[in-house]
Amino acid sequence: MGCGTSVTGSRAKKSERAIKAAILIQRWYRCYMARLEMRRQYALSIFQSIEYAEEQAQLQLSSFFTFMLDHFTYLNETDTGSDVQLLEYERTIEVPDSYRGPRLSFPLTVADTNSLLHAFKDQQHLHARYVLQLLHETKKLLKQMPNIIHLSTSYSKEITICGDLHGKLDDLLLIFYKNGLPSEENPYLFNGDFVDRGENSIEILIILFAFLLVYPNHLHLNRGNHEDHIMNLRYGFTKEVMKKYRSHSKKILNLLQDVYSWLPLATVIDSKVLIVHGGISDTTDLDFLNLFKRNKMKSVLRPPKSSTERNHDPERTDFVEYSPIRRVKKCLPGQDIAVKGMTRPSSSSSHTRRYTSDLLDVGEHMCLLHDGVNSGPLLEAQYLESSVRMPSVPSELTAKEWKQVVDILWSDPKNQNGCTPNKVRGGGCYFGPDVTARLLKRYNLKMLIRSHECKQEGYEISHDGQVITIFSASNYYEDGSNRGAYLKLNPDLIPRFVQYQVSKATRKQTLHQRVSVVEWSALKSLREKLYSRRSELTAAFRQYDPNYTGRISATEWASTVESVLHLDLPWRTLRSRLVQLAPDGSVEYLSCFNDLEIEPAIKEVQPALVETLYRYRTDLEIIFNIIDKDHSGLISIEEFRQTWKLFNSHLKIDIDDESIDNLARSIDFNKDGSIDFNEFLEAFHVVNKFENK
């Protein structure tokens, strides 16, 4: 009896110890997973903060890029011409016998869409002739559609809604593999941002437009904020098209501008679910959005001119004002314009009129004037040793129309009530639950579905279930950074989410390894951001360090970094990953620059200039893409000088011409008077010193 009791007690103790051990292991595992999740969350926050800061910079430069496009659009022949001219151009493009890709015939069939999918899986390109024909047919179809599409689930039972794809073809192919191809029984809605960032944006557009032509009532597209030719200049799509289609890229890109402008702005399902790309504001008016001419909105980044920029008297046709950078003198008929000694005959009279103008103090000459009764306002300008005569077309877009579209393409939800400007992105607004509730009640809706934001799990539900964010580009920032998702909506309007993640390199990695890769990539991007503002940060740090000790408090370091970078990140938490800490807890502030350098170092160039060029390298690339007439990728030293002068005049950066000339000569490695602009961009990238060695 006693022995049995002893055995029973021993077993009980062992069982108790096992339970305690299991509880300890469980606690440790939960803490471990919580730490990994925290690391993944702040890595995502870093990526998003940098992304939104870049978008803000893009919007802040919108007036400058408008100026550039106004001056170089006609120089680069961006007018696509009439449909007849376009068709004639398409017929002149020969498809060689050696071409092994898909050969399309219109109207398209399911066989054509299947051949496109197989070709793109094999990394083939569609010939330029077929691309232009496809875009032309897509434009004709889109022009027949309303601004807001109305759909019903009663016929197909379910509609699949996809969010941002951003050029990630593997995600689109995976969606089709898991969910089936678009068809009458399997309708899809793609909610904008098909292009930019990824490497296969043009292939995604071709696939979506092809399915749209085959199933116009069962595949639907909403416009996103990246269906915008100026956004494409910065975020990679323009460069992708130029690389893949070279001599025909101009026509393709220009036709795409028209296609973008005809994309529907919103979709309503069963009169209860509103789908827009970005969101809403407290002034969103669906009735207004449904009626205005949406093709007037070529780019959100080209807002309508204010009353001070337009002619003060709309009835007058003898002059136009325009001042994107500095002052432009008004010129009336009969006055003289001397553009570097050049004259031009008038098209509106038999005699020659001479014109004179003031010089812009940006090193260039221009004046806006009216050229008689035929062509409206004209611009005479000299850039890059080439006189250009072009119409200056006043925008018909009103401020209300522009704001309505900006709000639905750029806005984000927030948890707090109210509607405030979206200062993080620089466009649209933050809208709260109260704004959502009012709009849904006003239009008798139940739910708002939107995209526009990368979510770690591919989707997010907010505003008490009334707002759903769906994002379909997995691994958006880095392999393993996020899942993609799509949702299926049935007649009961109950969303069903399907998550996925395209995994190649990350498939064999542990969770810890995947998080570490994402975290490392985020911190690398953040260190580069710090390095690009090295001079400003150093000067700001030293205001707290008058004795040059090299150390300041953690609070001072965090507030200084935020005041310069404006990324709204938890700098105190991040400091241990970015800088070295002294034994007393203070920050050795220069240590955040120790591991990085801009390579290759060019001895003839001042360090301050190198830093400035690195910081604005993306903007310089946009400018170059605008003025690169033949898309050769080569830029003359004179073109480089003019590019920098234009940009310098806008940002008021204090760098003299001699420094720019020294830089241009130093990177003209073969001394042929031309610079490979891609090599120039590569010349200004930050590398880790120790990795490099």
Side-chain angles (χ1 to χ4, degrees):
M1 185 72 175
C3 182
T5 304
S6 175
V7 171
T8 303
S10 176
R11 287 177 178 173
K13 288 180 180 179
K14 286 182 179 179
S15 178
E16 185 179 349
R17 284 198 297 269
I19 292 172
K20 287 182 178 179
I23 292 172
L24 286 173
I25 292 171
Q26 191 178 55
R27 286 177 180 172
W28 172 86
Y29 181 75
R30 286 175 177 171
C31 289
Y32 171 75
M33 292 301 294
R35 285 195 297 270
L36 280 181
E37 182 61 23
M38 184 179 70
R39 288 167 59 190
R40 193 163 67 157
Q41 285 282 0
Y42 82 66
L44 198 66
S45 296
I46 291 171
F47 280 129
Q48 283 189 327
S49 295
I50 293 174
E51 177 190 5
Y52 295 167
E54 289 175 353
E55 289 182 344
Q56 185 184 78
Q58 174 86 2
L59 288 168
Q60 288 172 345
L61 284 171
S62 62
S63 62
F64 174 64
F65 291 128
T66 296
F67 164 75
M68 288 294 298
L69 288 165
D70 282 345
H71 289 72
F72 290 101
T73 290
Y74 289 85
L75 174 64
N76 288 336
E77 300 175 356
T78 58
D79 185 12
T80 57
S82 67
D83 289 345
V84 174
Q85 290 173 321
L86 184 60
L87 287 171
E88 290 176 355
Y89 178 80
E90 290 167 6
R91 293 192 189 101
T92 63
I93 303 174
E94 295 288 339
V95 181
D97 294 336
S98 58
Y99 171 68
R100 293 291 178 264
R103 293 178 180 267
L104 304 183
S105 58
F106 296 85
L108 295 183
T109 65
V110 174
D112 293 310
T113 58
N114 288 337
S115 67
L116 286 170
L117 289 171
H118 288 302
F120 294 156
K121 285 178 184 177
D122 295 335
Q123 299 182 334
Q124 292 179 316
H125 294 156
L126 183 64
H127 194 276
R129 175 172 180 168
Y130 302 125
V131 175
L132 285 167
Q133 287 178 322
L134 179 72
L135 294 177
H136 180 71
E137 294 298 319
T138 301
K139 176 184 169 183
K140 286 199 300 184
L141 177 61
L142 290 174
K143 288 173 71 172
Q144 301 172 28
M145 296 182 177
N147 293 0
I148 300 178
I149 303 290
H150 287 263
L151 305 178
S152 172
T153 58
S154 61
Y155 303 108
S156 60
K157 305 303 180 188
E158 277 190 322
I159 294 177
T160 301
I161 302 171
C162 300
D164 301 39
L165 287 167
H166 279 300
K168 290 185 171 289
L169 181 61
D170 287 342
D171 285 305
L172 179 61
L173 297 178
L174 182 59
I175 291 169
F176 286 164
Y177 174 78
K178 292 172 71 71
N179 194 61
L181 295 176
S183 67
E184 293 179 3
E185 297 77 26
N186 191 26
Y188 277 84
L189 167 64
F190 290 88
N191 196 25
D193 278 14
F194 321 121
V195 301
D196 279 335
R197 302 188 185 278
E199 297 179 352
N200 298 107
S201 295
I202 189 66
E203 286 79 13
I204 286 178
L205 281 184
I206 290 168
I207 290 171
L208 295 181
F209 291 162
F211 275 111
L212 176 67
L213 292 174
V214 175
Y215 298 111
N217 297 318
H218 303 93
L219 186 130
H220 310 279
L221 305 172
N222 279 348
R223 186 176 184 176
N225 66 307
H226 278 264
E227 278 67 64
D228 185 308
H229 65 279
I230 303 183
M231 291 291 286
N232 297 161
L233 284 167
R234 185 184 188 101
Y235 292 104
F237 182 47
T238 298
K239 194 172 183 178
E240 177 190 335
V241 175
M242 287 166 55
K243 180 181 178 181
K244 292 177 179 177
Y245 290 99
R246 299 188 179 276
S247 60
H248 302 294
S249 60
K250 246 190 290 187
K251 285 289 184 184
I252 292 172
L253 290 168
N254 297 334
L255 184 51
L256 269 170
Q257 289 187 35
D258 285 341
V259 174
Y260 286 163
S261 71
W262 285 108
L263 285 168
L265 300 172
T267 301
V268 176
I269 297 178
D270 292 344
S271 301
K272 293 297 180 184
V273 180
L274 172 66
I275 300 115
V276 295
H277 176 73
I280 57 173
S281 73
D282 53 0
T283 60
T284 295
D285 186 336
L286 298 183
D287 297 326
F288 181 85
L289 281 167
N290 198 37
L291 294 176
F292 94 105
K293 294 180 180 179
R294 67 180 184 274
N295 66 306
K296 292 192 293 183
M297 176 66 88
K298 298 296 184 184
S299 171
V300 166
L301 300 179
R302 300 190 74 176
K305 295 174 184 176
S306 66
S307 57
T308 57
E309 292 174 309
R310 292 196 301 264
N311 186 346
H312 293 297
D313 182 358
E315 297 300 317
R316 291 185 64 180
T317 58
D318 55 357
F319 71 88
V320 175
E321 286 187 358
Y322 183 65
S323 52
I325 293 184
R326 299 285 179 86
R327 175 178 51 83
V328 179
K329 183 179 178 180
K330 291 180 292 186
C331 304
L332 304 178
Q335 289 184 317
D336 286 344
I337 274 193
V339 182
K340 289 192 176 179
M342 298 188 66
T343 62
R344 67 173 178 83
S346 167
S347 60
S348 61
S349 63
S350 58
H351 64 282
T352 300
R353 291 185 298 177
R354 298 180 59 85
Y355 303 83
T356 56
S357 75
D358 284 353
L359 304 181
L360 275 182
D361 50 352
V362 296
E364 303 300 334
H365 307 264
M366 75 171 103
C367 184
L368 290 171
L369 55 135
H370 192 271
D371 186 30
V373 296
N374 295 328
S375 58
L378 286 174
L379 178 77
E380 180 93 15
Q382 172 126 357
Y383 282 108
L384 313 179
E385 303 173 355
S386 171
S387 182
V388 186
R389 181 173 176 271
M390 62 193 95
S392 173
V393 183
S395 171
E396 297 178 5
L397 195 69
T398 67
K400 180 178 180 179
E401 291 168 340
W402 179 80
K403 185 182 184 306
Q404 288 284 317
V405 177
V406 170
D407 285 343
I408 64 170
L409 296 187
W410 279 86
S411 297
D412 295 310
K414 64 174 182 176
N415 294 326
Q416 300 79 23
N417 282 338
C419 187
T420 56
N422 193 333
K423 294 181 179 179
V424 176
R425 287 189 190 267
C429 70
Y430 281 119
F431 61 98
D434 58 328
V435 177
T436 299
R438 282 199 300 271
L439 182 129
L440 295 183
K441 182 178 179 181
R442 177 182 176 186
Y443 294 102
N444 194 27
L445 300 167
K446 289 185 176 180
M447 188 190 310
L448 168 66
I449 297 176
R450 41 92 62 180
S451 301
H452 194 44
E453 285 184 287
C454 176
K455 297 300 178 183
Q456 191 168 308
E457 297 302 319
Y459 72 94
E460 183 179 81
I461 302 174
S462 56
H463 292 189
D464 299 320
Q466 291 185 316
V467 173
I468 292 175
T469 299
I470 193 77
F471 194 85
S472 300
S474 68
N475 308 308
Y476 179 59
Y477 296 113
E478 179 66 55
D479 282 350
S481 64
N482 66 284
R483 294 180 180 179
Y486 57 89
L487 71 84
K488 298 180 75 67
L489 206 62
N490 60 26
D492 295 328
L493 302 181
I494 299 173
R496 178 167 63 89
F497 300 96
V498 181
Q499 297 170 286
Y500 55 87
Q501 191 158 19
V502 174
S503 56
K504 292 179 180 177
T506 59
R507 185 176 296 167
K508 297 180 181 179
Q509 293 177 339
T510 65
L511 177 61
H512 182 272
Q513 288 172 327
R514 292 199 298 270
V515 172
S516 295
V517 168
V518 174
E519 181 185 43
W520 179 87
S521 180
L523 290 171
K524 177 177 178 288
S525 298
L526 192 55
R527 289 191 185 100
E528 291 175 1
K529 204 76 176 173
L530 289 166
Y531 195 87
S532 71
R533 309 296 287 268
R534 178 175 180 171
S535 299
E536 289 177 69
L537 284 168
T538 301
F541 290 146
R542 285 187 170 148
Q543 291 183 0
Y544 294 104
D545 184 28
N547 297 324
Y548 290 84
T549 64
R551 298 178 182 179
I552 57 177
S553 72
T555 301
E556 291 167 342
W557 180 84
S559 63
T560 299
V561 173
E562 179 57 31
S563 68
V564 173
L565 296 185
H566 305 291
L567 292 178
D568 194 26
L569 288 170
W571 296 107
R572 287 179 63 90
T573 303
L574 291 169
R575 72 184 188 279
S576 62
R577 311 303 300 274
L578 298 171
V579 290
Q580 295 174 9
L581 302 179
D584 62 357
S586 60
V587 173
E588 297 178 1
Y589 54 83
L590 293 180
S591 62
C592 61
F593 311 124
N594 286 348
D595 295 345
L596 301 174
E597 62 183 1
I598 295 178
E599 189 191 61
I602 303 174
K603 295 179 181 178
E604 297 87 345
V605 182
Q606 301 170 6
L609 175 56
V610 172
E611 182 183 317
T612 302
L613 286 169
Y614 171 73
R615 187 188 311 166
Y616 295 112
R617 61 201 289 270
T618 303
D619 301 308
L620 288 170
E621 183 176 11
I622 297 171
I623 297 168
F624 173 73
N625 284 336
I626 294 173
I627 68 172
D628 181 18
K629 294 184 285 293
D630 58 0
H631 300 303
S632 66
L634 294 175
I635 182 168
S636 70
I637 290 180
E638 177 61 22
E639 284 176 327
F640 176 76
R641 184 184 296 116
Q642 298 292 354
T643 297
W644 179 257
K645 282 184 178 179
L646 286 168
F647 195 55
N648 188 30
S649 67
H650 184 76
L651 292 182
K652 311 296 188 294
I653 302 169
D654 188 20
I655 296 176
D656 57 64
D657 293 347
E658 184 179 357
S659 297
I660 294 297
D661 291 343
N662 288 339
L663 170 67
R665 284 192 293 268
S666 65
I667 57 180
D668 179 16
F669 299 114
N670 59 3
K671 307 303 178 187
D672 66 348
S674 295
I675 300 167
D676 184 318
F677 201 71
N678 290 321
E679 290 181 3
F680 161 74
L681 292 172
E682 288 301 312
F684 296 95
H685 70 282
V686 170
V687 297
N688 187 295
K689 292 179 184 177
F690 303 107
E691 282 182 4
N692 186 51
K693 292 175 183 177

